[in-house]
Each structure stands twice: as structure tokens, then as C-alpha cells.
Amino acid sequence: MKRRTFIRSTTAAGLALGLTPVACATPSLDTEILILGGGLSGLYLAFLLEKAGKDYILLEGSDRLGGRMFTRKDIHRDVGGRGIGDKYTEVMKLIEEFNTEMIDITDYMRSPTAIYLDGQIYDQWPDPSTNPSYLQFSAFGKSTQLTALDQWYQKPALDEVYSELLTRNGLTEEQIDLANISANYNDIRETSAINAYHSAAFRKFNGSERILNFKGGTANFINAIAGSLKKQVLTNKMVTKIDDQNEKATVHCKDGTRYSGKKVVATLPFSTLRDVHMNTSFNTNQEKAIQQLAYTNITQIHLEHTEAFWEEDRLPADMWTDTPLERIMNMSSSPTEKQLACWVNGTGTAFFDDMNEAEIASYTIKKINEIRPASEGKIAYLGVQNWGQYKYNKGAYVEFGPGQAAWFLDMIKPAGNIHFAGEHTAHKSRGMEGAAESAKRVFNELMK
Ligand SMILES: Cc1cc2nc3c(=O)[nH]c(=O)nc-3n(C[C@H](O)[C@H](O)[C@H](O)COP(=O)(O)OP(=O)(O)OC[C@H]3O[C@@H](n4cnc5c(N)ncnc54)[C@H](O)[C@@H]3O)c2cc1C
């Protein structure tokens, strides 16, 4: 038996017996490449490495794969990324590879037109100056100012506080408060306008016209990728330390196990990577990015409607509100689904952070009943997904503060034996396509 095969099989046997493997003496390795994190970027990288005949071990901290692509079995809902643009190049390749069944939900995607403001409902917001999403996008302007997808981190002149741009383009302080309800950031008075420029450029240059969902939930797609992998893909392996030496790096997990590889690929969001003890020397901007980059808080309160109460009060199902519930949305993507949710972004999530589930349920139902009396007795609470407090992510997606985009090129450089992938390291794309793009980039780095 070859030495490496022997080490791998004894490690696996030790684990099966519940023994803690003893650290192997240098230069023995458990694998060539250790992938940290089993979200889309980690799984896609594993898939590419396997096709290239490379050896790897994937370590995922939670008890499931998928990361921010998460079908919660207890409430039968997708609570993370699920909207796929039909021009998502890398993700669509995987969808085709696994013959994943998709549904087109473009016609179900809408931004609310109604608004509940100061205790009154405006059906079609007679005055656009009160509509949160209109406010943000009208003041942002139609032009992206970018002529290519990967320019966003090279435009210091555009990297200013977002609210300052909106103020210059005519919004009052009161309108900025309203625009903050719809903005996908923690606070538009703190975040950089560069995030909005990047999103706008991605929408424009990616050119997706249809939005697709995974039929039956994102878990089907994640399970298909995971099911195709033949190497070790281990869950419940919360990484706490990376000990990077010249010839190899050893990764320590919370359960006491250790794994060593020639290279480590960290796909963890920086919000959790910053809790991992690492002895590698990072460049200055990389160090700052790992420690400081913000992640957007999102809290979703999932509900089920037993009857379409909007047919009774004849108001649109979806609405913005200036209450702590922020946005009430019908998230169904077929006439038979009964998915309703409140979607709270950024600093507004703090309102719910200290409440227990019973308090959130009671507050939410009471508030919706107050806003829409027709909903009385027709909605039920299912569950809450608090991405800001979810320990494996600590936020929904990366958001750059003013001036931080200049860190980007340095922050994604390999440091010692550690490479970086994940949504936050994508040059061009965002969301799931960004995660997949980053996996492809790191795959090419490793193959060099
Ligand atoms: C509410 C919400 C809505 C979204 N909507 C969309 C959408 O419509 N379209 C779109 O394209 N994108 C969307 N996204 C974004 C998209 O889901 C993500 O960009 C993508 O899934 C990120 O993949 P990733 O592999 O980079 O990170 P992740 O999926 O976060 O993977 C990282 C993995 O690392 C694990 N991990 C963390 N810390 C440790 C540790 N110490 N040790 C071991 N493992 C660890 C985590 O458990 C996780 O599995 C949404 C995200 C959210 C939260």
C-alpha cells in the first residue's frame, strides 16, 4: 500500500472508531488540497478538482452542505440564495451537468408598489417620492458608470458613502430613511456606493432576462453536486486554526481532528474566517479585509397564508412598510404555493435580535393584522431566519465600506499556502455566480 493511501485509510478508520487522529509527522499529508467550506464555491471547486484527478478533502463546519443555499426542512422553505439569472455562466453549466429541474419565476418577481406609511396605505404610491425602491434607484441613476464588470474595484472616485451620492442626486434626509428600507445594505449612510455600481454592472453586463429557481428547493441542486463527489466531504468540521508551514498547512477543527494538505482553499466568508486562528502573514490590505469587511444583515420572517387576504382588501399582496417588518412579500412562485415573508434588511434587523421566536411570531402577526385587517386569522408563523446571527455566515453577503474596494485585488491573493474563494472574492459576478466564478479562479491558480 502506498504511504499516502495508508495514511488516508488509517485516518478514516480512526474517525470511524471515534478516535482522535494524532498529528502526522512532517512531511506526511492527508491530501493535496483542503477545501474549507461546503457552500457553492467549495462544492464547485471539489467538482472541478475531481474532474482534474486531484486529491482533496472538504471540511464543512455545519451539519449540512450548501451554506447560503439553504432549504430549511423544518419550514420547507429556501431561506438563502435561490434566484438564478438565465445567463449565470458557471452555475448554468452545473445545472446542465446535473440535469437539475428549474422553474421560471420571472413573472413572480416584483418590487412592491404599495406602501404603508405613517399608518396609511398607499395602493399605488401616488407620489413616487414615497416609494423606497423607486427612491433609491431613481437617485442612483440609470447609468452604471462602469463599462466593464471588473472595473468596480478600480474606480476610487465612485467609492464614496452611498447616501452622499443619493443626496447629491436630490434625496432629502427623510427620503434617505425611506430608501434605506429597500436597500440591500446595512445602512446606506455607511456603505459604499461601489456596491450599487457593481450590482448594476452585473445586472447590465450579465444580461440575464429570466430568473430561475430550483424546482423543489436548492437542496436538490446541492445534493446532486455533493452526490457526484467521490472524495472525503466531511460535515461538522468547524475549522478553528490553520497552521501554515512551508511544505504544508494543517487545519485544526473544533472536534479535535486535524487535516494537512499542500494547499488550503478557504471559501469561508471573512465574517467567520476572522474567527479562525491563522499564522500566515497576510498583506496589509488582506489583513484589513479579513478583519473588517462588513456583511449585510438579513432577517426573514416566514409565514404561510391560508387564504389570499389581498383578494378581500383588494390591495397588492406585496408592500413596503415603515414599520420594523419593512417589506411584506408574497414569495410564492406558483398559484398553489402559500409563501409569505417579511424581509428585514440591515440595521432594521436589530429590532428582532433579542426577541424569542414566540415574540417574533406574535409581533409579526399582530402588526400585519393591524396593517391589513383582512389578514386576520389567515396567516400563520412558520419560522425566522436571522442571517446576521447565523454562526456559520454572520451575514448574508459582503458589502464594502467607502474606500475598501481598493483592498480587493490584494485580499484575494494567495497567502502562504492559503488560497481564497467564495462570493466575496469574485471579480465580476455577484451572488451564486460570484461564488462559482471564484471557485473557477482558484482552480486555475492551483493548476498552475
Ligand atoms: C437571504 C439570501 C438571499 C440570496 N439571494 C440570492 C439570489 O437570489 N441570487 C444569487 O445569485 N445569490 C443570492 N444570495 C447569495 C448566494 O446565496 C451566495 O453568494 C452564495 O451561496 C455563497 O456561496 P459561497 O460558497 O461563497 O459561501 P457559503 O455558501 O456561505 O459557503 C461557506 C461555507 O463555509 C462554512 N463555514 C463557515 N465558517 C466555517 C468554519 N469556521 N469551518 C468550516 N466551515 C465553515 C459555512 O457553513 C458555509 O457552508 C443570497 C444569499 C442570502 C443569504
Side-chain angles (χ1 to χ4, degrees):
M1 191 185 271
K2 280 189 197 147
R3 177 163 166 72
R4 204 168 73 209
T5 321
F6 173 73
I7 290 165
R8 286 186 56 211
S9 50
T10 46
T11 307
L15 286 174
L17 292 168
L19 301 175
T20 305
V22 177
C24 307
T26 357
S28 61
L29 294 167
D30 291 325
T31 187
E32 274 179 72
I33 298 150
L34 287 168
I35 304 173
L36 313 186
L40 181 61
S41 55
L43 290 171
Y44 188 32
L45 178 62
F47 171 82
L48 294 171
L49 289 172
E50 198 149 308
K51 276 198 152 181
K54 296 286 171 191
D55 199 21
Y56 67 85
I57 296 175
L58 185 150
L59 304 172
E60 162 57 42
S62 72
D63 61 359
R64 62 171 183 90
L65 297 168
R68 278 169 274 176
M69 294 177 72
F70 185 10
T71 307
R72 262 183 59 178
K73 287 188 199 140
D74 57 336
I75 58 172
H76 305 288
R77 291 283 172 90
D78 272 337
V79 296
R82 59 179 203 146
I84 308 281
D86 61 346
K87 300 275 174 13
Y88 275 19
T89 323
E90 296 302 323
V91 179
M92 288 307 286
K93 263 192 239 164
L94 270 177
I95 287 170
E96 274 160 35
E97 170 90 26
F98 292 105
N99 217 358
T100 314
E101 250 194 288
M102 306 298 289
I103 43 171
D104 188 325
I105 57 147
T106 318
D107 297 340
Y108 290 88
M109 301 290 288
R110 62 231 131 183
S111 185
T113 52
I115 178 159
Y116 178 80
L117 195 65
D118 294 331
Q120 204 178 331
I121 294 181
Y122 300 90
D123 179 352
Q124 287 294 327
W125 45 278
D127 175 3
S129 71
T130 59
N131 186 286
S133 72
Y134 176 85
L135 279 171
Q136 189 201 154
F137 293 116
S138 67
F140 176 63
K142 284 205 173 92
S143 157
T144 70
Q145 308 264 0
L146 302 177
T147 52
L149 259 175
D150 54 0
Q151 282 178 348
W152 62 273
Y153 49 84
Q154 306 177 56
K155 295 277 179 187
L158 304 179
D159 194 2
E160 61 175 325
V161 178
Y162 192 27
S163 59
E164 285 175 11
L165 169 73
L166 301 183
T167 306
R168 220 174 32 250
N169 289 350
L171 291 203
T172 62
E173 286 301 302
E174 202 182 17
Q175 288 174 322
I176 285 186
D177 284 340
L178 276 177
N180 231 348
I181 297 174
S182 71
N184 288 326
Y185 312 112
N186 284 328
D187 188 339
I188 55 180
R189 289 191 175 85
E190 287 174 12
T191 200
S192 169
I194 213 71
N195 300 295
Y197 285 117
H198 186 194
S199 294
F202 182 51
R203 275 197 299 276
K204 181 172 171 188
F205 298 116
N206 175 258
S208 288
E209 282 163 10
R210 311 296 301 171
I211 307 288
L212 311 174
N213 266 190
F214 298 101
K215 194 169 180 194
T218 57
N220 290 344
F221 178 59
I222 294 299
N223 292 342
I225 307 174
S228 76
L229 302 175
K230 305 208 170 44
K231 305 269 163 52
Q232 292 191 72
V233 175
L234 308 174
T235 51
N236 294 308
K237 295 289 174 189
M238 191 70 179
V239 172
T240 53
K241 183 174 165 186
I242 306 173
D243 182 13
D244 190 12
Q245 307 295 338
N246 288 341
E247 295 162 25
K248 66 169 190 173
T250 303
V251 168
H252 298 231
C253 299
K254 203 174 169 190
D255 63 359
T257 50
R258 295 173 189 189
Y259 301 86
S260 61
K262 274 190 205 157
K263 297 284 175 196
V264 170
V265 181
T267 76
L268 320 185
F270 282 176
S271 47
T272 69
L273 185 67
R274 68 184 58 132
D275 297 335
V276 175
H277 181 78
M278 294 180 280
N279 62 354
T280 305
S281 42
F282 299 105
N283 67 59
T284 312
N285 286 337
Q286 194 163 41
E287 178 81 50
K288 283 195 283 192
I290 294 171
Q291 296 307 327
Q292 295 173 32
L293 278 188
Y295 278 71
T296 314
N297 291 329
I298 291 180
T299 294
Q300 303 160 326
I301 303 163
H302 290 274
L303 308 158
E304 193 164 49
H305 54 275
T306 49
E307 273 177 62
F309 55 85
W310 46 91
E311 284 170 9
E312 195 182 311
D313 66 13
R314 303 195 172 226
L315 292 165
D318 308 311
M319 57 169 46
W320 301 108
T321 80
D322 61 356
T323 74
L325 297 181
E326 296 198 350
R327 203 178 326 184
I328 305 169
M329 294 196 292
N330 177 7
M331 295 192 58
S332 310
S333 47
S334 81
T336 51
E337 283 179 357
K338 302 215 175 293
Q339 304 196 6
L340 202 67
C342 301
W343 188 293
V344 187
N345 266 333
T347 44
T349 55
F351 182 85
F352 297 98
D353 280 352
D354 295 327
M355 288 189 189
N356 63 36
E357 285 226 32
E359 287 165 342
I360 294 174
S362 147
Y363 177 86
T364 305
I365 306 267
K366 213 166 133 201
K367 196 58 150 179
I368 297 180
N369 290 165
E370 187 186 310
I371 300 171
R372 311 277 296 257
S375 67
E376 189 105 28
K378 299 185 187 111
I379 44 177
Y381 172 83
L382 286 188
V384 66
Q385 179 67 24
N386 182 333
W387 282 102
Q389 291 192 340
Y390 185 64
K391 73 172 176 180
Y392 301 104
N393 284 92
K394 298 188 178 174
Y397 13 72
V398 72
E399 66 172 76
F400 287 82
Q404 294 179 344
W407 299 344
F408 180 76
L409 284 181
D410 283 337
M411 84 182 212
I412 65 167
K413 282 182 184 154
N417 289 311
I418 310 176
H419 293 245
F420 299 93
E423 159 257 351
H424 52 294
T425 69
H427 279 83
K428 296 183 173 175
S429 320
R430 295 187 61 99
M432 290 176 255
E433 182 64 4
E437 177 205 302
S438 74
K440 190 87 178 276
R441 170 183 52 78
V442 169
F443 173 74
N444 290 332
E445 281 172 15
L446 294 169
M447 289 301 115
K448 266 185 195 159

